[in-house]
Amino acid sequence: MALYVSAERIKAAIDRLGNSRSKRTTLFDFLIVKRSLAIKQSDEAAIAESEPAFASALDELGRTRIADADRYFFNPFAVMEESKSGFRPERYRSNGTNSTISGVPWQSVIRLTNAKPRLASLQPGYEKHLKRLIHAANNKPLPRLADIASWYWRSLDIEPLVAGLGNDQERMSKLSLEFVNRLRLTPTEIAEIFDTNTHLSEVGVTMFSPDEPTPDSYLPGKVQSTQPAQENLTEVSFDLVTALAAKNFTILTGPSGTGKSRAALKLAEGLQRYYIESAKGSLFAFISVGPDWTSPKRLMGFRSPFGKERKTADGLSSFDSYDITEAVRLVLRASHSDAADTPHFLIFDEMNLSHVERYFAPFLSLMEASAMVDAEGNLALISSDDLKIISMVLDADDATTPEAEAAKAILAEGRSVIFPANLFIVGTVNIDDTTYMFSPKVLDRAHVIELNSEKPSSYLLSEERGEPGGSLSISVADEILKSAIADREGKKNALTNPATVLDSLSSHGFTADEIDAIRSNTIAVLDGCYDLLDPIGFSFGYRASKEIFVYLSIWIGSRIANGADKGEILASWANGLDRAIIQKLLPKIHGNRRTIGDSLIALSAFLAGNGGQDNPAAAYSIGISKRVSISQDRKVMIVENQFPLSRKKLSAMHDKLSAAGFVSFVN
């Protein structure tokens, strides 16, 4: 006669696992890796869709059998009572685990090869790092081994396994043992991760049943809220996430009231909720820039000799203190070892109320330098002398805060506080008589996203407001940003030839010829843009070309993560280049009619696929005799109606130039 773990028992197991001290994804992903290695009977396996062992492991540990593509997989450790999360859509089969184990905290546990697909294996001595990787530092109970075993055997006939065992204690012990054997869990792994007691004193819970339980009987459902509609923090801006993943500094511009602050805060607050079980403190700081910020002191704080008396390490008295700002606290929280792969956000409201180049100077310098130097170098966001004072002040206030712990750890290890790879900066700007225009130095280091105003009916008559560039689920946004953090930590984009970054598309199934076609067309477009912009003083250098290629690579990867297939990408990749051009090349254009002339119309014509002999022509005149033109053999036609965003912006800028005699990208 068939025998199953009952729905009541599985549901109780999920409730406890979701409220254990395990971080929301790490234990689940570690178990998937272990099962993949066990199925393949090897010390290494690819954690990718192409690996049958991984696909089987993910199905065994996560598949729900619910006829809903958005609830295809389920992570029992990720359930939060208020949101009933834990589900993963079918189209994200391989994205979660693959991205997670690539993060910095996993490097002491998982070794990944550089081959495509990358092979995962366990690092020597990994077991001593498991507890710190998998468990959050809180007082919640350990996950029970019997609970994850109950989940693993859901909807499977276990009668052959427990035949002859007469009581629940023996049956559950047998299921736990068989689960351990199937995943080849070692005694040390079990001791570090699980509570091994079977805990059968569950009042009113039937342990086993002759009837197969249905997933709807033990899985959380979709919450039907009776409250007024609130901001949906599970869907965020595709454009903003992609821009931040490509470069961790993004400027949002547009008329007042277009949702610039909303887009940034929604991403930050969505991830704050997503990390509710593991985050130590706030993942973001919202900073209102003042019109009197003339130096970095308002942002980075300053030392003061008039603090409370304290004893230094050598027993001497000191009155040194430090005015610790929210920005400093966030930088330290982001520098905490437990948060190395967790995105943190500095959000600046009205960023250009003061000269950005003055108060933001330390970040502008280290934004580039941190990609080339290590924490042991001489460049620092916070000097070691200042950090000593900051650490004393933080310890005196509360030594258990993550920023206090991070400051002590950095000092103990002799490191400097550099620009953390997991710190993302978003600035909102308006242009009027009270603000300052950005210099090329600032624009060159950022992606600029313009948000346009909408007709009232477009948002008053719709149930939800759209997101810039389309929507992205918060879980996929997290994966994309985590991957970007790992790339920065590994200096993956520090390439001699940035065009080679597109070679990474081979991991998504693109052939060498397909990659070369994208690369050669992109180079041809950049060359044409350069030749048309250089004569009017807006040439661009290596950094802009590099960041356009990085952005295009990430845009394609993000589209795939969001469910697009290779065919869709091959037909639409130029849309990613369109966004890169409007975010990286056009923002620096400004000037009067005499300086710019008809160059904007010429550039728009070139982006439409025209040459200098076509109508409209990709050509313009400077003065009386000089003519700038794109020859007919250099026309670039990728698809019909290509680069619509850039051409629309160029047309609007030309109209403004004709009407007012002066124009800039940010109006």
Side-chain angles (χ1 to χ4, degrees):
M1 185 174 111
L3 187 67
Y4 298 90
V5 180
S6 71
E8 294 91 342
R9 168 60 175 155
I10 299 172
K11 186 177 185 305
I14 291 172
D15 290 342
R16 282 192 295 269
L17 292 173
N19 286 287
S20 69
R21 73 177 63 171
S22 294
K23 296 176 183 177
R24 298 186 63 229
T25 62
T26 48
L27 179 49
F28 184 64
D29 289 325
F30 178 73
L31 295 177
I32 289 173
V33 172
K34 287 288 293 184
R35 182 57 180 149
S36 300
L37 297 173
I39 292 173
K40 196 169 184 181
Q41 297 184 3
S42 172
D43 291 333
E44 60 181 11
I47 307 303
E49 185 74 20
S50 58
E51 174 59 72
F54 166 73
S56 296
L58 183 56
D59 281 345
E60 289 180 19
L61 285 158
R63 190 172 177 187
T64 66
R65 297 188 303 115
I66 293 177
D68 183 340
D70 289 332
R71 297 191 293 163
Y72 195 82
F73 295 108
F74 182 75
N75 173 3
F77 300 100
V79 181
M80 296 185 296
E81 186 61 35
E82 68 273 16
S83 64
K84 298 292 185 184
S85 64
F87 291 106
R88 182 187 299 171
E90 180 180 8
R91 61 185 181 275
Y92 304 145
R93 172 185 287 271
S94 63
N95 292 1
T97 305
N98 194 327
S99 298
T100 301
I101 66 173
S102 300
V104 175
W106 284 80
Q107 292 177 0
S108 59
V109 173
I110 299 293
R111 177 170 52 198
L112 293 170
T113 67
N114 293 322
K116 299 295 183 182
R118 293 181 297 176
L119 300 178
S121 59
L122 297 169
Q123 292 277 21
Y126 72 94
E127 291 169 319
K128 64 184 179 182
H129 301 287
L130 279 178
K131 185 179 294 184
R132 186 172 185 178
L133 171 71
I134 288 173
H135 294 321
N138 57 42
N139 296 321
K140 292 185 176 182
L142 288 169
R144 299 179 184 179
L145 180 61
D147 284 342
I148 187 59
S150 296
W151 164 254
Y152 180 83
W153 295 108
R154 67 200 181 283
S155 303
L156 293 176
D157 182 4
I158 60 170
E159 197 278 333
L161 287 176
V162 299
L165 300 179
N167 60 59
D168 291 346
Q169 175 80 34
E170 293 175 343
R171 288 172 174 173
M172 193 53 65
S173 295
K174 176 65 175 178
L175 293 182
S176 298
L177 178 60
E178 186 61 25
F179 171 77
V180 166
N181 292 338
R182 287 203 172 200
L183 274 72
R184 297 197 304 190
L185 294 173
T186 67
T188 303
E189 289 171 344
I190 296 169
E192 290 291 306
I193 298 172
F194 294 109
D195 176 351
T196 56
N197 294 317
T198 49
H199 300 283
L200 294 181
S201 58
E202 299 178 48
V203 178
V205 175
T206 302
M207 302 298 293
F208 300 97
S209 169
D211 300 315
E212 179 181 353
T214 61
D216 285 323
S217 65
Y218 54 77
L219 289 174
K222 295 180 180 179
V223 177
Q224 301 297 323
S225 176
T226 58
Q227 300 298 317
Q230 297 180 347
E231 191 75 270
N232 178 12
L233 297 180
T234 64
E235 297 289 333
V236 293
S237 166
F238 180 94
D239 272 0
L240 179 57
V241 172
T242 306
L244 286 171
K247 184 65 182 286
N248 51 353
F249 179 26
T250 295
I251 295 170
L252 298 176
T253 181
S256 180
T258 51
K260 300 184 293 294
S261 297
R262 167 189 172 272
L265 284 170
K266 190 175 181 184
L267 174 60
E269 290 178 344
L271 285 169
Q272 182 77 57
R273 179 177 293 183
Y274 188 75
Y275 282 97
I276 193 170
E277 291 293 326
S278 58
K280 294 182 176 181
S282 178
L283 299 181
F284 67 95
F286 187 77
I287 299 172
S288 296
V289 176
D292 58 343
W293 287 25
T294 58
S295 76
K297 287 185 177 181
R298 293 298 186 97
L299 182 60
M300 298 304 298
F302 54 90
R303 294 177 67 168
S304 168
F306 305 113
K308 295 179 181 179
E309 183 178 11
R310 295 186 179 87
K311 295 293 184 181
T312 62
D314 53 10
L316 299 177
S317 293
S318 174
F319 291 91
D320 280 348
S321 185
Y322 200 97
D323 181 58
I324 304 175
T325 64
E326 283 303 308
V328 169
R329 290 179 182 275
L330 184 77
V331 167
L332 290 173
R333 286 198 296 273
S335 301
H336 196 289
S337 58
D338 287 350
D341 67 341
T342 303
H344 288 65
F345 300 88
L346 268 177
I347 301 172
F348 292 90
D349 188 42
E350 302 285 359
M351 191 175 194
N352 59 332
L353 270 179
S354 288
H355 285 288
V356 177
E357 301 82 355
R358 296 177 181 174
Y359 73 83
F360 200 57
F363 286 92
L364 289 174
S365 298
L366 283 179
M367 199 175 290
E368 298 297 317
S370 61
M372 297 175 282
V373 301
D374 296 320
E376 288 75 19
N378 294 322
L379 295 174
L381 198 58
I382 301 172
S383 71
S384 58
D385 287 341
D386 284 347
L387 187 60
K388 291 175 183 176
I389 306 299
I390 291 171
S391 182
M392 283 198 308
V393 174
L394 291 173
D395 277 350
D397 292 340
D398 185 353
T400 65
T401 63
E403 48 263 43
E405 293 176 356
K408 283 186 289 188
I410 292 170
L411 287 171
E413 296 168 12
R415 296 187 289 115
S416 299
V417 180
I418 61 173
F419 195 107
N422 60 338
L423 180 62
F424 298 89
I425 295 173
V426 183
T428 70
V429 303
N430 291 309
I431 299 297
D432 54 40
D433 292 339
T434 68
T435 61
Y436 297 90
M437 187 57 195
F438 288 115
S439 70
K441 176 181 179 180
V442 176
L443 293 173
D444 211 32
R445 286 164 168 77
H447 278 272
V448 180
I449 299 176
E450 185 178 35
L451 276 63
N452 295 310
S453 57
E454 302 175 79
K455 289 183 179 180
S457 60
S458 65
Y459 51 84
L460 293 177
L461 298 180
S462 62
E463 294 184 2
E464 290 186 4
R465 292 182 64 182
E467 303 301 329
S471 295
L472 196 67
S473 75
I474 196 68
S475 60
V476 177
D478 178 58
E479 292 165 12
I480 292 170
L481 294 176
K482 274 187 174 180
S483 180
I485 292 168
D487 288 348
R488 291 187 188 114
E489 286 281 1
K491 298 178 174 57
K492 179 180 175 181
N493 296 325
L495 304 169
T496 303
N497 181 0
T500 59
V501 74
L502 293 180
D503 292 339
S504 63
L505 297 180
S506 61
S507 64
H508 296 299
F510 289 79
T511 67
D513 288 343
E514 290 166 342
I515 294 171
D516 285 341
I518 296 174
R519 180 166 29 231
S520 61
N521 276 305
T522 300
I523 292 172
V525 170
L526 292 178
D527 271 354
C529 291
Y530 183 92
D531 288 345
L532 291 171
L533 291 174
D534 180 48
I536 57 171
F538 297 111
S539 60
F540 50 90
Y542 172 85
R543 182 188 290 120
S545 295
K546 170 191 170 184
E547 292 181 2
I548 284 174
F549 270 102
V550 171
Y551 177 89
L552 183 57
S553 173
I554 289 175
W555 185 89
I556 292 173
S558 299
R559 284 289 313 281
I560 292 172
N562 207 29
D565 58 32
K566 191 179 84 167
E568 292 178 74
I569 298 300
L570 289 174
S572 65
W573 69 265
N575 292 336
L577 181 55
D578 187 15
R579 283 173 163 78
I581 290 170
I582 202 171
Q583 292 175 21
K584 290 300 301 181
L585 300 187
L586 303 191
K588 290 192 290 183
I589 298 176
H590 67 279
N592 57 35
R593 177 72 184 173
R594 182 178 179 182
T595 303
I596 295 178
D598 291 328
S599 61
L600 303 182
I601 292 298
L603 181 56
S604 178
F606 169 70
L607 293 176
N610 292 353
Q613 304 302 316
D614 295 316
N615 186 21
Y620 64 95
S621 297
I622 297 180
I624 299 175
S625 58
K626 184 174 181 179
R627 183 171 173 80
V628 179
S629 179
I630 299 295
S631 61
Q632 295 298 101
D633 62 336
R634 293 180 58 201
K635 296 194 299 185
V636 182
M637 177 58 76
I638 302 169
V639 293
E640 292 185 10
N641 191 32
Q642 61 189 17
F643 308 115
L645 298 177
S646 297
R647 290 192 291 114
K648 181 180 179 181
K649 180 63 179 178
L650 287 166
S651 178
M653 291 175 68
H654 179 77
D655 290 345
K656 181 68 178 289
L657 179 64
S658 299
F662 183 90
V663 72
S664 66
F665 179 88
V666 181
N667 289 312

